[in-house]
Amino acid sequence: MKSSAFIAMSSAAALMLTTGTAFAADSVTLSALPVQNFAFCLSSDAPLTLSDTLATEVGVVVTNVGNSLTNNTGKIVVAANNFYGKGAGSEWTSTMGVFNLAGGNCYNVASMNKTTSPGAAPWNCASTSGAASGSGATMTGLVSAQTQVQTIFNGFLPSGVSSTLNNAPVVNCPY
């Protein structure tokens, strides 16, 4: 009886080991990161600096959502695209750069990219997140490619930030 149980367990262990080895030989494909936006409120006027980090098309939309981090509508105040003036759609109003934001408001940040330069490829909404940094904030947009996570933009506010929220409502993505 003991030898039957030992043989059965040894066979199961050998099968699991073989199966594990077979899976390890396959390439790993990442699943998509969850789409999320980042929100922050400003107690005073502040410059927001945005920069893209990829050669493919990147868009960042900043929406003034009033006085609450969780509002899901508002007025677009920044529609930056690294291909602005070089093939990006007419909905984009600037390239990446520095934008002055009015204090006393909350803002929602959405980021997105295409796997190509401007054209027919669909937008991939990113996982946009951030954190307080001194009296300011930093933010980043991430997307998952098949085998890696890529940063598509970085943003920085040096001061004036009174509150921040990750997992903010998805507003204006795709744009």
Side-chain angles (χ1 to χ4, degrees):
M1 180 83 160
K2 287 184 181 180
S3 63
S4 299
F6 178 76
I7 291 170
M9 289 181 4
S10 296
S11 298
L15 179 61
M16 289 189 323
L17 184 58
T18 303
T19 305
T21 303
F23 286 126
D26 291 340
S27 64
V28 174
T29 300
L30 297 174
S31 60
L33 291 170
V35 174
Q36 70 174 29
N37 285 9
F38 174 66
F40 60 90
C41 294
L42 292 177
S43 57
S44 60
D45 295 358
L48 169 63
T49 302
L50 299 174
S51 59
D52 58 286
T53 59
L54 291 179
T56 58
E57 190 173 10
V58 174
V60 179
V61 178
V62 180
T63 304
N64 180 330
V65 291
N67 62 1
S68 174
L69 293 168
T70 58
N71 285 345
N72 59 8
T73 61
K75 181 180 186 228
I76 294 171
V77 294
V78 175
N81 184 302
N82 62 336
F83 277 85
Y84 176 74
K86 298 180 259 176
S90 60
E91 68 274 20
W92 301 101
T93 58
S94 70
T95 189
M96 302 295 167
V98 180
F99 305 91
N100 293 313
L101 300 179
N105 296 293
C106 297
Y107 297 88
N108 180 293
V109 181
S111 61
M112 60 209 80
N113 90 305
K114 291 185 178 185
T115 56
T116 63
S117 55
W123 283 108
N124 297 310
C125 294
S127 181
T128 308
S129 61
S133 176
S135 63
T138 60
M139 60 202 77
T140 296
L142 301 173
V143 294
S144 54
Q146 284 190 341
T147 59
Q148 64 184 346
V149 173
Q150 297 177 308
T151 301
I152 63 169
F153 96 98
N154 292 306
F156 175 68
L157 285 156
S159 62
V161 176
S162 58
S163 55
T164 63
L165 176 67
N166 281 308
N167 291 316
V170 175
V171 179
N172 292 315
C173 193
Y175 180 59

